Structures are given as structure tokens and as C-alpha cells.
Amino acid sequence: MKIKIKCPSIIKGEIEISGSKNACLPIIAASLLSKEEITLYNVPLITDVISMIRILDDLGVSVNYNYVESKLVIRANRIKKDLDSCFVSKLRASYYLISPLIHRKNNFATLYPGGCNFGKRPIDFHLKLYKQMGLDITEKEKIYFKKRKLRPINYTFSTVTVGGTINAILSTVLIKGKTTLSNIAIEPEVIDVIHFLQSMGAKIQFIDKRSIVIEGVKELHKTTYSIMPDRIEAGSYMFLAMAKPNSQIKINKVNVSHLENVIEVINKLGGEITIINDSMEIKSPENIKNINISTGPYPYFPTDLQPILSTVLLNGNDTSKINETIYPSRNSHIKELSKMKASIEMNQGLITINPSPLISGMVQANDLRCGFAMIVAGVISGKQIIINQAEYIFRGYDDIMGKLCKIGIKCKKE
Ligand code: EPU
């Protein structure tokens, strides 16, 4: 699918942020830990969520999505054995379904998870954890799991991992005894998953900033839960506002405390932010200042906003540098920006961005965040651009066309 973006001379308007993709996907998977009915609100209408729903459907789980109310009702009183739906290998987050299956089945198989491709994305920590808690694992064309007696674990992550932390929590909440996990990820999405599990009766407690103790419970019960706002979606629009001088947008339904790292960067760029409860007004300056910054695990600047910030910095008044520490090969936007005559390069994770006027043209959304970065690039160019493979953008940005239109950016499917 192609989309055509045409930009006005100024960005102005008001939008609402949807529920978080990266919190919603593991929470949907975690719903299968209970046989009772789970009701979720603020579920975004994005294709990654639709793919997850299709996997649940293929597993024989009852699932009902009312997208008008952003409400998803799940009841997993029965569940089929294997994760062999074709959507499993399209979605990174499909690996969160392994954890409930461990509790519901004695042996099962799964296809390998998919997801955006920015270099190696191993799942070795996940498998190591499962082995420690009592599973035999065989990796062939699929991954085969065989359950022995499950036991609690004491595990310290050598690298901070969002998915590893969430899977460790999901797989141990029902194991009798005390599990201790250290050096865990504390991204707001991880905390949202913990709050959701606690609302189902899970016993999870922080013992220091990056360590938790999980006291296994016998079963988890029904709950109604509202997914946190998507901080990466909010950050994406905050940076989009910075792509045109003297623009002003209002972003509603955000959790401001999750966005401190982004607010700090916007201020350094010369932008102005006014916060009123769960709304934010962003005003862009006449000239963007250059910055030097590193991505890192929360509370540091998120890797998911790196491609978008890199693009905004093409408008900077001098050379900027971003050190990408999470995915040193997350560079799919750089090739595309070069097609628009951007002076930007990445060397062993270090991105150097020189101020560059961009020309219009045809680019490609190589993955989700690269796709949004191309929208920003189109806005900077001030002309019209065509983005190929735009389906990637729909994987994670709810109502992208409607929201762009609300802030004055014309967007048409070709
Ligand atoms: N890692 C390993 N082994 C593992 C797991 C991770 O070496 O078993 C490494 C990764 O290669 C990476 C680092 O640990 O260098 C951190 O990766 P992490 O596990 O935190 O990433 P993830 O859980 O696979 C989630 C988000 C990503 C986001 C990263 C980092 C979801 C579904 N995905 O991925 O989101 O970039 O955390 O914050 O939650 C996106 O939304 O565009 C996106 C890619």
C-alpha cells in the first residue's frame, strides 16, 4: 500500500492519543492466564492488535472486539494446543503467548516470532528462563516445549529487556513459591502489564528500582482494565510538530509522567511545551537547535523515537549526534532519507545528522517507526511525498490518516 503526504506550511490542530501498542499486546496475551472473562478498554485499532486477535481466534479463544468503544472482551476457558497461526511469525509480541501456554498445556509448539527487522533480535533470554523454570525446549523449524515440574526462579537479566522481563513475569505468576527477577526493564508498558496482572490477583512487588518478587498464586481471576496511553505515539506527534517552524498542536489523553525524556529533548530543540492535566500543547521554534543524545532503556530516551528524532534533526541549526545503544543497526530510515538528499549516516550505532533541505520523492516504510519518520520527512520537505509499504505504519499508529488530517497534513491512500 502507498500513501501520499502533502504538507501545509504550518501544522496546527488537536489530536487524542490511543492505547499503547506495546502494553496492549502483552496484556492481551496475559488474559489467557485466566479462564474467566477479561475486559480491556483503550485497545487501539492497529494491525498488530488485529493480528494478535487473529492468533487468539486460531487458538480457539473467545474474543470480541468493539472498535467503536475500543473494548476487547477475552474468555480463554478453552485453548488449543499449538501456536501455529500464520500471524505468529508476523508479530514479535506473539512470543508473549508462550507464557500462558506453559500453564495451560504440558507440551506444545510455536512458530518463531516475527516483527520489525533491525538487526538481530534474539529470544535467548526468554528460552533460558523457561529452561530454568522446568521446561525442555527443542529448537527446530518450530520451538517445542515440554513441561516438567514448574519451579520458581531467581534470575538477573544481563541486559535490560522489555520482552524478556514481561515473559518472565507472565510465566512465573502462577508458579507456587517465590520468584525474584533483577535488572528488569521498568518501561511504563512493563509497569502497565504488572498493574493488569495485579488486578487479576497476581502478587508482584518491587523490592528495589529494578527488582521484583513474585509470589505465585493458584489462579488469576476476571478483571476490567484500561490500557495506558501510547507514549511512543504521543512522542511521534510531539516530534512531528517540531518538523515545521511556528507550528502548534495539542495532544490529549497522554500520561505526562511517561514522557519526561521526550519533553526534555523537545525543550533542548527549542520547542515550548505547556501541560494541562493530561494534555500537552507543543509549539515549535523558528529554528531547531542541534543536540547530542543516546537512546537507552527507560527512563532514558526510547529507541522507538530515534528514527523520528533523527529526521527532525535534519532541520537543526548544526550537526547533531544520536548514539543508538539498543539496536545499533536500527538504520532503515537512513537509506530512505538519503533518497531525499539528507546528509545522515550511521556508524556502529552512532548517527551523525547534518542540517539538510529535503527534496520530495518516493520512499519506503521499511518498518513501523521508519514509516512515521518518512511522514516527518515529507513535512520537512514541504512538498509531496509517496510512502511505499505504508502498511507498516498501520501496525502501530491508530487512525493515522484521521489524526494527520486533524493537524493539517493531507494524507491519501493510493
Ligand atoms: N535481547 C537479547 N536477547 C533476548 C531479548 C533481547 O539479546 O532474548 C536484546 C535485544 O537484541 C536488544 C535488547 O536486548 O538489543 C533490548 O531488546 P528488548 O527485549 O527490550 O526488545 P523487545 O522486547 O523485543 C520491545 C518493543 C520494541 C522496542 C524495544 C526496546 C514490543 C512488542 N516491542 O521489543 O518496540 O523497540 O522493546 O524498547 O514491546 C516498536 O514499537 O517499534 C518496537 C520495535
Side-chain angles (χ1 to χ4, degrees), residues 373-384:
M374 292 307 111
I375 296 173
V376 174
V379 170
I380 292 177
S381 80
K383 303 190 184 88
Q384 179 173 291

Side-chain angles (χ1 to χ4, degrees), residues 21-22 92 122-125 161-163 304 326-327 369:
K21 167 177 87 75
N22 290 345
R92 176 80 176 164
I123 57 164
D124 51 329
F125 300 148
T161 151
V162 173
D304 293 340
I326 307 283
Y327 298 114
R369 309 301 172 189

Side-chain angles (χ1 to χ4, degrees), residues 69-265:
E69 288 181 68
S70 306
K71 175 182 169 187
L72 183 66
V73 181
I74 300 168
R75 194 180 173 115
N77 50 339
R78 276 177 299 126
I79 193 164
K80 282 187 203 154
K81 205 166 130 189
D82 293 324
L83 277 169
D84 51 12
S85 161
C86 63
F87 293 96
V88 171
S89 42
K90 291 195 174 128
L91 200 62
R92 176 80 176 164
S94 60
Y95 62 22
Y96 291 130
L97 291 160
I98 296 172
S99 296
L101 276 177
I102 287 173
H103 292 283
R104 306 285 299 257
K105 303 288 166 195
N106 286 328
N107 55 69
F108 63 95
T110 176
L111 294 168
Y112 285 87
C116 292
N117 178 14
F118 19 81
K120 272 194 192 157
R121 296 184 75 187
I123 57 164
D124 51 329
F125 300 148
H126 303 241
L127 300 182
K128 205 166 145 192
L129 274 158
Y130 292 141
K131 283 178 188 162
Q132 270 196 27
M133 63 185 71
L135 286 133
D136 290 330
I137 300 176
T138 313
E139 288 186 77
K140 287 188 184 159
E141 75 297 347
K142 290 181 183 175
I143 315 175
Y144 295 85
F145 294 83
K146 192 166 179 212
K147 186 158 74 180
R148 290 179 274 121
K149 188 172 162 42
L150 292 181
R151 51 180 179 261
I153 53 168
N154 193 339
Y155 190 86
T156 301
F157 288 96
S158 54
T159 303
V160 174
T161 151
V162 173
T165 300
I166 293 177
N167 251 341
I169 298 171
L170 299 189
S171 54
T172 51
V173 277
L174 289 172
I175 298 180
K176 194 174 170 205
K178 204 191 255 182
T179 284
T180 307
L181 302 174
S182 303
N183 197 29
I184 63 164
I186 50 167
E187 266 65 5
E189 295 77 13
V190 176
I191 308 301
D192 210 40
V193 172
I194 292 177
H195 288 160
F196 169 71
L197 290 167
Q198 286 170 332
S199 79
M200 294 169 88
K203 291 195 177 148
I204 306 167
Q205 255 192 340
F206 271 87
I207 48 170
D208 65 40
K209 202 176 161 213
R210 287 197 182 270
S211 302
I212 49 174
V213 169
I214 300 168
E215 190 75 53
V217 292
K218 226 171 158 192
E219 53 189 19
L220 294 172
H221 54 71
K222 67 178 178 186
T223 189
T224 297
Y225 192 80
S226 185
I227 310 285
M228 64 173 259
D230 196 317
R231 68 188 171 106
I232 304 298
E233 187 198 18
S236 303
Y237 284 101
M238 288 164 78
F239 285 125
L240 180 57
M242 300 296 283
K244 261 282 162 281
N246 305 315
S247 294
Q248 184 170 349
I249 66 168
K250 190 171 180 206
I251 304 182
N252 299 319
K253 288 200 181 170
V254 291
N255 185 329
V256 176
S257 69
H258 295 164
L259 287 160
E260 279 172 14
N261 44 22
V262 182
I263 293 171
E264 197 187 320
V265 172

Side-chain angles (χ1 to χ4, degrees), residues 336-401:
E336 301 307 312
L337 292 171
S338 303
K339 290 182 192 165
M340 297 175 78
K341 300 274 182 269
S343 166
I344 178 169
E345 58 176 33
M346 189 181 213
N347 197 345
Q348 293 181 341
L350 184 66
I351 308 170
T352 305
I353 306 137
N354 296 306
S356 329
L358 296 181
I359 59 160
S360 64
M362 193 182 280
V363 287
Q364 197 153 294
N366 294 313
D367 56 56
L368 169 62
R369 309 301 172 189
C370 167
F372 200 93
M374 292 307 111
I375 296 173
V376 174
V379 170
I380 292 177
S381 80
K383 303 190 184 88
Q384 179 173 291
I385 64 158
I386 292 175
I387 306 177
N388 288 318
Q389 285 186 189
E391 52 275 13
Y392 271 112
I393 306 173
F394 293 83
R395 289 185 67 155
Y397 288 96
D398 189 359
D399 189 23
I400 180 84
M401 316 255 295

